[in-house]
Amino acid sequence: MTLNAFLFQVLNGLSSASGLFLIAAGLSLIFGVTRIVNLAHGSLYMLGTYIAYTFATKIGGVTGFWGGIVATALIVGALGAAIEFVLLRRIYRAPELFQLLATFALVLVINDFALWLWGPTDLLGPRAPGFRGAVEILGRRLPSYDLFLIVIGPLVLLALHLTLTRTRFGRLIRAATQDREMVGALGVNQAVLFTSVFALGAALAGLGGALQIAREPANLATDLIALGDAFVVVVVGGMGSIPGAYLAAVIIAEVKALCVGIGTVDFGFVTINFSKFTLVAEFLVMAIVLIARPYGLLGKAQGAVRSIAEPEEPLRPATPLLKAFGVAVLAVLVCLPLLAQSSPYVLVLGIDVLIAVIFATSLHFIMGPGGMHSFGHAAYFGLGAYGAALLVKWLAWPMGAALVAAPVLAVAGALLFGWFAVRLSGVYLAMLTLAFAQIVWAAVFQWEGFTGGSNGVIGVWPPPPFDKSWVYFLLTLALAVAAVLLLRRFLFAPFGYAMRAGRDSPLRAEAIGIDVKRVHWLGFAIAGLVCGVAGGLFAFAKGSISPETIHINRSIDGLVMVLLGGVQTLTGPIAGASVFALLQDTVMRQTEYWRALMGAIILLLVLTFPQGIVGAFASLWRRMGGRT
Amino acid sequence: MSVLELRALSKSFGGVHAVRDVSFAIGKGEFLAMIGPNGAGKSTCFNMINGQLKPDSGEILCDGRNIAGLAPRDIWRLGVGRTFQVAATFGSMTVIENVQMALISHGREIYRLWRPAASHHRARALELLAHVGMEAAADRPSRELAYGDVKRVELAIALANDPKLLLMDEPTAGMGTSERHGLIELVKRLVVERGISVLFTEHSMDVVFAFADRIIVLARGQLIADGDAATIRDNPQVREVYFGTGKTFAGASA
Ligand SMILES: Nc1ncnc2c1ncn2[C@@H]1O[C@H](COP(=O)(O)OP(=O)(O)OP(=O)(O)O)[C@@H](O)[C@H]1O
Ligand SMILES: [Mg+2]
């Protein structure tokens, strides 16, 4: 690459950086003041693109475009205020996990709303009036709109900076970011502050989205992509730091631009196409920064992590009643192939449910007793699934060997990622696990030659006799029962107690000789191992896999399963996974708008039913005088 | 040889010298009280001895070995038990499980995956709970206990590794007068019967003067006095710190 080409890429990077900064700044502001990680921030950005598109095409001209951009920012800002007022206000005191889930529910609802209103096709907006041409720079042509964007980023940064330092509103924001109690003490109307900050953050996201319509089409996948980008930027820059967000936006945009600019390089022994690294690159930057500076480049250490919502009951061994119930359920399941002879679909459903049970139980293992809220459990599922499928595809391994290799690969990933993850806690741990999962996802997605890219791997069918669904069902059942019982056994053993000890009070645990990080690390690895079994089973059950297997949606599904069942109970994840998988395979298949439905379920769960199914039963039982 | 010796220990937070050049030693079987007004640096001292904080400078000798900067868990393995100013127990466990956890760790059985934790060291845990008068509550969830009882459980936990040195940061906070005396008497008995050395902080002077073998006084991070009850009581600098000039401990120790 010549120097000119290099500098040109740097300019390109700067124009992308402005877009990244606009989304990230809002997210960072909101987090700084309300301590809520707004997963719906990418959705607000996406709405910005659609609304601005509508203005630009329906009204048209200079007014439609530039006026539309301003109007869009205001509308999205108002929507943000409404969201804060109706939903978030109810969950400020809830555990982080619930806040993350509630805002993710909004992602689902907003996505389906956009699908309903604007339809599934991409919508390309008009060129920006006044910036249609290109400018000759360094011997290349740079669209003048890109130059405009390069300027916009620092301008917004300056405007925010002045607002934060020169106005009363800004001083309140800074005070709240640094010391939340102080705001209460100042006697400020906290509710108004929170609502307006949320509105401001949302408006910035809307603005960022609106500005993009001249470059990229409005698209329903933008929400999660923008969210991912925004996250990386905010986490790298330091949560709550606006200059940090700009710095990080520049770094990440430049790294990406340079990956594209470098293109394919021949190292003699190996040829690497760097432009394929764009997706991995940003998450790699984030992982590195989180490891070196856990609170981001310009961020400050956050106060103590919030504790679990409800105080947890001590573990009690299964009562005879529960054991009898378990045996009965198992008996029904073993007989299911006989009962379901006339409708083979029941067995397919059964396999889905059992795989979900393994997945959720392994997630619960670290989430409940370990207190580590992983937002990237799909990574280990994906490693297992892809591990098994690729071994079949490339090396023609038999199913048995592939099913053994699946958890081995998953545990290797869990050992690597977990080592870093257990060094963080709370929302930072959630973000790092998410980042790792996205790295795996991006690697699979972009490494087409090896993984099949977006097409995935096909033809991973089990050999006879497992090609009969009843045989495969029994295999899955056997492994699911083994996984559930084994994890349960571990939780009652000293190791499980040590894991809970480290969660309940790291201070006390360390003071009685427990190496909390190591215990949690091993817990993480065990969960990854078991999750890999589920992944391997999944690959052979479906016969084909795609990057969907590792998608963030699967990680969130896992969290919902655990919460639906009840995070504080051991049988909860089983019930939650079963109900969820059944719902997904039946109700959600019936409607095009399954995302909104799912979002509604999550919201209902978070707002009215935080103990989950089994948790609710257990407390009802206790209230009636029974013992659990 | 002393069980523990601090040499010129210092720690500051930003510009605040929380502990400055503190040196003292505690002998075997000694019941040593550390007193000082709020913010004097007592907890900071404890946190450095126990490994929660790394000293800026100075040495902490435990049986002649410098332990400054070691992790709390390694210091615990050397036979140092600790109770915290704000009691730290495992809220999702029963009282006895809390003690069993410490015994399991002491037996290096943490990474066991098979036999239930509840079947490990139950008898010994009950014995420890009996020492602190909590055996009746063994199977109750620890988070349901009154605060004074939590502190007793914490003591039982701290005793689980047969410590040679016990660090107790305000062990009687949140207790009434008679309960407070009961607990300190109990600890004193441990000192006498088992030869455990105890370093404790305490805001109630009557307890300190009645039970401590020796008293050291910290003020604004510095050690200003070290001696027996009579010496401390008559020390003008100590009086000044506590009462301003003119007053005495007569009222407090009565
Ligand atoms: N982690 C910390 N960061 C900053 N300053 C600290 C920290 N811990 C203690 N300090 C400061 O160091 C000084 C000593 O505090 P320390 O807790 O050791 O006092 P103390 O003697 O235990 O007081 P008390 O009787 O109230 O428990 C105080 O000024 C306190 O504000
Ligand atoms: Mg203290």
Side-chain angles (χ1 to χ4, degrees), chain A residues 606-619:
Chain A
V606 167
L607 291 177
T608 64
F609 205 43
Q611 309 162 287
I613 299 171
V614 176
F617 267 118
S619 65

Side-chain angles (χ1 to χ4, degrees), chain A residues 438-463:
Chain A
Q438 289 304 96
I439 290 175
V440 175
W441 176 81
V444 164
F445 195 82
Q446 292 199 320
W447 198 359
E448 257 184 80
F450 182 57
T451 62
S454 56
N455 296 323
V457 186
I458 52 168
V460 196
W461 293 112

Side-chain angles (χ1 to χ4, degrees), chain A residues 85-129:
Chain A
F85 195 76
V86 174
L87 174 64
L88 299 183
R89 192 159 284 195
R90 293 166 206 278
I91 54 171
Y92 282 131
R93 303 215 169 276
E96 268 155 7
L97 179 61
F98 285 79
Q99 299 174 343
L100 290 169
L101 278 169
T103 54
F104 189 77
L106 288 177
V107 172
L108 298 172
V109 173
I110 292 176
N111 194 284
D112 266 357
F113 171 74
L115 172 67
W116 171 75
L117 194 61
W118 285 286
T121 41
D122 290 5
L123 304 174
L124 184 61
R127 293 277 198 79

Side-chain angles (χ1 to χ4, degrees), chain B residues 81-100:
Chain B
R82 162 96 192 250
T83 67
F84 294 94
Q85 182 165 350
V86 177
T89 54
F90 307 126
S92 74
M93 297 184 195
T94 61
V95 167
I96 193 164
E97 284 169 349
N98 266 279
V99 182
Q100 281 172 298

Side-chain angles (χ1 to χ4, degrees), chain B residues 37-44 46-47 82 85-86 169-170 201 203:
Chain B
N38 291 110
K42 304 181 295 292
S43 296
T44 306
F46 273 54
N47 286 337
R82 162 96 192 250
Q85 182 165 350
V86 177
D169 200 351
E170 301 197 17
T201 68
H203 278 297

Side-chain angles (χ1 to χ4, degrees), chain A residues 311-316 486 489-516 518-519 522 526, chain B residues 50 52 72-73 76-77 80 82-84 88-94 97 101-102 104-106 109-118 120 139 141 143 154 157:
Chain A
E312 193 173 297
E313 286 291 314
L315 275 188
R316 307 275 187 207
L486 215 57
R489 183 100 207 179
F490 292 171
L491 286 181
F492 278 93
F495 180 78
Y497 270 70
M499 211 156 70
R500 275 164 56 224
R503 173 202 64 188
D504 284 358
S505 172
L507 183 66
R508 168 51 69 200
E510 289 278 343
I512 56 166
I514 299 176
D515 187 340
V516 172
R518 183 187 291 174
V519 167
L522 290 181
I526 291 174
Chain B
N50 202 220
Q52 280 84 17
R73 54 176 183 274
W76 183 77
R77 297 251 175 241
V80 180
R82 162 96 192 250
T83 67
F84 294 94
T89 54
F90 307 126
S92 74
M93 297 184 195
T94 61
E97 284 169 349
M101 193 71 249
I104 286 170
S105 176
H106 184 47
E109 297 156 341
I110 282 177
Y111 296 100
R112 292 195 173 178
L113 288 169
W114 203 248
R115 206 155 58 83
H120 286 72
D139 289 309
R143 64 181 164 80
E154 230 201 347
I157 297 173

